[in-house]
Amino acid sequence: MVFDSAEYWRKRYESGGNSGAGSYGVLAEFKSRVLNHFVAVNKIESAVEYGSGDGNQLSLLEISKYLGIDLSAEVIKNLRHKFSDDSTKTFMEYDPDCFVADDVVRADIALSMDVILHLTEDRRYEKYMRNLVKSSKKFIGIFNTATESQLDQMAQHNRYRDHRVWMNLYAPEFSEVKVDLTPVDLGYPATTGFYFYQLQANISHYLLMRHE
Ligand SMILES: C[S@@+](CC[C@H](N)C(=O)[O-])C[C@H]1O[C@@H](n2cnc3c(N)ncnc32)[C@H](O)[C@@H]1O
Protein backbone atom coordinates (compact mmCIF):
# COMPACT_ATOMS: atom_id res chain seq x y z
CA MET A 1 0.00 0.00 0.00
CA VAL A 2 1.22 3.51 -0.79
CA PHE A 3 2.15 5.51 2.31
CA ASP A 4 -0.13 8.51 2.97
CA SER A 5 1.54 11.11 5.21
CA ALA A 6 -1.70 12.95 6.04
CA GLU A 7 -3.44 9.74 7.02
CA TYR A 8 -0.45 8.78 9.15
CA TRP A 9 -0.64 11.98 11.24
CA ARG A 10 -4.42 11.95 11.58
CA LYS A 11 -4.34 8.36 12.85
CA ARG A 12 -1.35 9.02 15.08
CA TYR A 13 -3.17 11.80 16.96
CA GLU A 14 -6.52 9.96 16.99
CA SER A 15 -4.83 7.05 18.75
CA GLY A 16 -3.36 9.33 21.43
CA GLY A 17 0.09 9.84 19.90
CA ASN A 18 2.06 13.07 20.18
CA SER A 19 4.15 15.21 17.83
CA GLY A 20 7.32 13.21 18.42
CA ALA A 21 10.71 13.57 20.10
CA GLY A 22 11.61 16.79 18.27
CA SER A 23 8.77 18.64 20.01
CA TYR A 24 10.01 17.78 23.50
CA GLY A 25 13.13 18.03 25.64
CA VAL A 26 16.42 19.47 24.45
CA LEU A 27 15.42 19.82 20.81
CA ALA A 28 12.23 21.72 21.70
CA GLU A 29 14.32 23.99 23.94
CA PHE A 30 16.83 24.63 21.16
CA LYS A 31 14.08 25.41 18.61
CA SER A 32 12.28 27.81 20.96
CA ARG A 33 15.46 29.56 22.12
CA VAL A 34 16.57 30.24 18.55
CA LEU A 35 13.11 31.24 17.34
CA ASN A 36 12.29 33.49 20.30
CA HIS A 37 15.60 35.30 19.80
CA PHE A 38 14.92 35.84 16.09
CA VAL A 39 11.39 37.06 16.85
CA ALA A 40 12.64 39.54 19.48
CA VAL A 41 15.56 40.91 17.43
CA ASN A 42 13.38 41.47 14.36
CA LYS A 43 10.39 42.79 16.33
CA ILE A 44 8.13 40.18 14.80
CA GLU A 45 4.54 40.45 16.02
CA SER A 46 2.64 37.67 14.29
CA ALA A 47 3.30 34.09 13.21
CA VAL A 48 1.51 31.43 11.22
CA GLU A 49 2.75 27.87 11.63
CA TYR A 50 2.01 25.09 9.15
CA GLY A 51 1.99 21.86 11.14
CA SER A 52 1.46 23.25 14.63
CA GLY A 53 1.60 19.85 16.34
CA ASP A 54 0.36 18.96 19.81
CA GLY A 55 1.23 22.30 21.44
CA ASN A 56 4.25 21.32 23.52
CA GLN A 57 6.66 23.19 21.26
CA LEU A 58 4.14 26.03 20.97
CA SER A 59 3.98 26.44 24.76
CA LEU A 60 7.62 27.67 24.59
CA LEU A 61 7.03 30.27 21.87
CA GLU A 62 6.96 33.96 22.79
CA ILE A 63 5.02 36.03 20.26
CA SER A 64 2.09 38.50 20.32
CA LYS A 65 -0.13 36.72 17.81
CA TYR A 66 -0.07 33.13 16.55
CA LEU A 67 -2.13 31.07 14.11
CA GLY A 68 -1.52 27.33 14.11
CA ILE A 69 -2.59 25.23 11.14
CA ASP A 70 -2.61 21.45 11.07
CA LEU A 71 -4.25 18.68 9.07
CA SER A 72 -5.44 16.75 12.12
CA ALA A 73 -8.92 17.63 13.45
CA GLU A 74 -8.02 15.85 16.69
CA VAL A 75 -4.90 17.90 17.33
CA ILE A 76 -6.66 21.18 16.50
CA LYS A 77 -9.46 20.29 18.94
CA ASN A 78 -6.86 19.56 21.64
CA LEU A 79 -4.96 22.77 20.93
CA ARG A 80 -8.10 24.88 21.24
CA HIS A 81 -8.73 23.27 24.60
CA LYS A 82 -5.14 23.54 25.80
CA PHE A 83 -4.85 27.24 24.93
CA SER A 84 -8.47 28.23 25.66
CA ASP A 85 -7.29 30.93 28.12
CA ASP A 86 -4.85 32.45 25.63
CA SER A 87 -6.60 34.74 23.15
CA THR A 88 -3.34 35.44 21.28
CA LYS A 89 -3.40 31.92 19.82
CA THR A 90 -5.88 30.64 17.25
CA PHE A 91 -5.99 27.36 15.37
CA MET A 92 -7.28 26.06 12.08
CA GLU A 93 -7.69 22.58 10.61
CA TYR A 94 -6.92 22.41 6.90
CA ASP A 95 -6.76 20.05 3.97
CA PRO A 96 -3.16 20.27 2.76
CA ASP A 97 -4.10 19.00 -0.71
CA CYS A 98 -6.68 21.72 -1.47
CA PHE A 99 -5.84 24.72 0.66
CA VAL A 100 -4.55 27.89 -1.00
CA ALA A 101 -3.17 30.51 1.39
CA ASP A 102 -4.94 33.88 1.40
CA ASP A 103 -4.66 37.11 3.42
CA VAL A 104 -6.39 35.56 6.44
CA VAL A 105 -3.41 33.31 7.06
CA ARG A 106 -0.65 35.83 6.40
CA ALA A 107 1.69 36.85 9.19
CA ASP A 108 5.05 38.56 9.75
CA ILE A 109 6.71 35.16 9.92
CA ALA A 110 5.57 31.87 8.38
CA LEU A 111 6.90 28.87 10.29
CA SER A 112 7.65 25.27 9.43
CA MET A 113 9.15 23.27 12.27
CA ASP A 114 9.89 19.57 11.89
CA VAL A 115 7.29 19.12 9.16
CA ILE A 116 9.27 18.98 5.89
CA LEU A 117 10.83 15.69 7.05
CA HIS A 118 7.33 14.22 7.04
CA LEU A 119 6.22 15.38 3.61
CA THR A 120 7.10 12.11 1.94
CA GLU A 121 5.02 12.74 -1.21
CA ASP A 122 6.39 15.24 -3.75
CA ARG A 123 2.98 16.80 -4.46
CA ARG A 124 2.40 17.45 -0.72
CA TYR A 125 5.86 18.95 -0.32
CA GLU A 126 5.28 21.25 -3.28
CA LYS A 127 1.85 22.40 -2.04
CA TYR A 128 3.12 22.87 1.50
CA MET A 129 6.05 25.04 0.44
CA ARG A 130 3.87 27.22 -1.78
CA ASN A 131 1.42 27.89 1.06
CA LEU A 132 4.25 28.57 3.49
CA VAL A 133 5.86 31.17 1.26
CA LYS A 134 2.54 32.78 0.37
CA SER A 135 1.72 33.21 4.06
CA SER A 136 4.78 35.29 4.86
CA LYS A 137 4.67 39.09 4.97
CA LYS A 138 8.38 39.43 5.87
CA PHE A 139 10.10 36.31 7.22
CA ILE A 140 10.09 32.53 6.95
CA GLY A 141 11.54 30.22 9.61
CA ILE A 142 12.20 26.60 8.72
CA PHE A 143 13.50 24.01 11.16
CA ASN A 144 14.67 21.10 9.06
CA THR A 145 17.45 18.69 8.20
CA ALA A 146 18.42 20.24 4.88
CA THR A 147 19.79 17.35 2.89
CA GLU A 148 18.72 14.99 0.11
CA SER A 149 20.89 12.18 1.54
CA GLN A 150 18.71 9.59 3.23
CA LEU A 151 19.85 7.33 6.07
CA ASP A 152 20.31 3.63 5.31
CA GLN A 153 17.14 3.00 7.26
CA MET A 154 14.43 5.65 7.28
CA ALA A 155 11.05 5.21 8.98
CA GLN A 156 8.30 5.21 6.37
CA HIS A 157 7.00 8.59 7.60
CA ASN A 158 10.38 10.28 7.20
CA ARG A 159 12.21 11.59 4.16
CA TYR A 160 14.91 14.24 4.22
CA ARG A 161 14.55 17.15 1.84
CA ASP A 162 16.89 20.04 1.22
CA HIS A 163 14.37 22.90 1.33
CA ARG A 164 17.17 25.34 0.30
CA VAL A 165 16.97 23.95 -3.24
CA TRP A 166 13.22 24.65 -3.40
CA MET A 167 13.59 28.13 -1.88
CA ASN A 168 16.31 29.12 -4.35
CA LEU A 169 14.26 27.90 -7.30
CA TYR A 170 10.75 29.00 -6.41
CA ALA A 171 11.07 31.76 -3.81
CA PRO A 172 14.05 33.85 -4.94
CA GLU A 173 12.42 36.95 -3.43
CA PHE A 174 13.38 35.51 -0.01
CA SER A 175 17.03 35.47 1.04
CA GLU A 176 18.51 33.24 3.70
CA VAL A 177 19.52 35.66 6.47
CA LYS A 178 20.39 33.38 9.40
CA VAL A 179 21.09 29.73 10.07
CA ASP A 180 21.37 28.21 13.55
CA LEU A 181 22.46 24.59 13.37
CA THR A 182 21.76 22.21 16.25
CA PRO A 183 24.72 21.61 18.58
CA VAL A 184 26.78 18.60 17.49
CA ASP A 185 26.28 16.82 20.84
CA LEU A 186 22.54 16.52 20.16
CA GLY A 187 23.47 13.97 17.50
CA TYR A 188 21.37 15.23 14.58
CA PRO A 189 22.67 15.27 11.00
CA ALA A 190 25.03 18.19 10.34
CA THR A 191 22.50 20.22 8.31
CA THR A 192 19.78 20.10 10.99
CA GLY A 193 18.85 23.55 12.19
CA PHE A 194 16.74 26.67 11.96
CA TYR A 195 16.93 28.46 8.60
CA PHE A 196 15.55 32.00 8.44
CA TYR A 197 14.58 33.89 5.30
CA GLN A 198 13.68 37.52 4.73
CA LEU A 199 11.69 39.06 1.92
CA GLN A 200 13.98 41.36 -0.04
CA ALA A 201 12.39 44.82 -0.38
CA ASN A 202 13.64 45.40 -3.92
CA ILE A 203 11.86 42.34 -5.25
CA SER A 204 8.86 42.31 -2.93
CA HIS A 205 6.65 43.09 -5.92
CA TYR A 206 6.99 39.36 -6.67
CA LEU A 207 4.93 38.71 -3.58
CA LEU A 208 2.38 41.41 -4.33
CA MET A 209 1.86 39.87 -7.75
CA ARG A 210 1.36 36.45 -6.16
CA HIS A 211 -1.52 37.86 -4.15
CA GLU A 212 -3.35 39.44 -7.03
C1 LIG B 1 6.74 16.35 14.04
S1 LIG B 1 5.26 17.28 14.21
C2 LIG B 1 5.91 18.90 14.51
C3 LIG B 1 4.97 19.77 15.30
C4 LIG B 1 5.48 21.17 15.63
N1 LIG B 1 5.69 21.96 14.47
C5 LIG B 1 6.74 21.10 16.44
O1 LIG B 1 7.78 21.56 15.99
O2 LIG B 1 6.68 20.59 17.55
C6 LIG B 1 4.69 17.38 12.54
C7 LIG B 1 3.33 18.03 12.40
O3 LIG B 1 3.10 18.33 11.03
C8 LIG B 1 1.76 18.02 10.71
N2 LIG B 1 1.70 17.79 9.25
C9 LIG B 1 2.04 16.70 8.55
N3 LIG B 1 1.86 16.91 7.23
C10 LIG B 1 1.41 18.18 7.10
C11 LIG B 1 1.03 19.01 6.00
N4 LIG B 1 1.08 18.56 4.74
N5 LIG B 1 0.62 20.26 6.25
C12 LIG B 1 0.57 20.73 7.53
N6 LIG B 1 0.89 20.00 8.61
C13 LIG B 1 1.31 18.74 8.40
C14 LIG B 1 1.42 16.82 11.56
O4 LIG B 1 0.04 16.65 11.74
C15 LIG B 1 2.17 17.16 12.85
O5 LIG B 1 1.36 17.87 13.73
Side-chain angles (χ1 to χ4, degrees), residues 166-175 198 200 203 206 210:
W166 194 96
M167 291 296 291
N168 285 338
L169 271 175
Y170 301 113
E173 69 275 29
F174 283 89
S175 297
Q198 182 168 11
Q200 297 309 300
I203 48 175
Y206 270 47
R210 278 176 190 219

Side-chain angles (χ1 to χ4, degrees), residues 1 7 9 21 25 28-29 33 40 45 53-54 63 74 99 104 125 129 159 165 171-172 180 186 192 198 200:
M1 226 172 71
E7 201 53 30
W9 283 99
E29 281 162 28
R33 190 173 62 249
E45 293 187 343
D54 62 15
I63 194 149
E74 178 72 15
F99 184 75
V104 177
Y125 175 56
M129 292 302 288
R159 172 181 171 176
V165 175
D180 280 298
L186 293 191
T192 304
Q198 182 168 11
Q200 297 309 300

Side-chain angles (χ1 to χ4, degrees), residues 5-6 9-10 13 19-20 22-23 31 49-54 56-58 69-72 75 94 96 112-115 118-119 124 128:
S5 63
W9 283 99
R10 288 188 186 112
Y13 287 128
S19 292
S23 308
K31 286 155 73 187
E49 182 180 12
Y50 281 88
S52 48
D54 62 15
N56 191 65
Q57 182 72 62
L58 174 58
I69 300 177
D70 207 287
L71 50 71
S72 162
V75 93
Y94 90 142
S112 168
M113 292 194 276
D114 265 331
V115 179
H118 303 301
L119 303 173
R124 287 225 170 99
Y128 179 89

Side-chain angles (χ1 to χ4, degrees), residues 1-22:
M1 226 172 71
V2 180
F3 179 74
D4 181 332
S5 63
E7 201 53 30
Y8 169 85
W9 283 99
R10 288 188 186 112
K11 286 200 172 130
R12 178 169 168 147
Y13 287 128
E14 276 161 21
S15 59
N18 66 16
S19 292

Side-chain angles (χ1 to χ4, degrees), residues 144-147 149 151 160 181-184 186-193 195:
N144 185 35
T145 299
T147 180
S149 303
L151 302 175
Y160 290 138
L181 297 174
T182 50
V184 176
L186 293 191
Y188 289 89
T191 56
T192 304
Y195 296 77

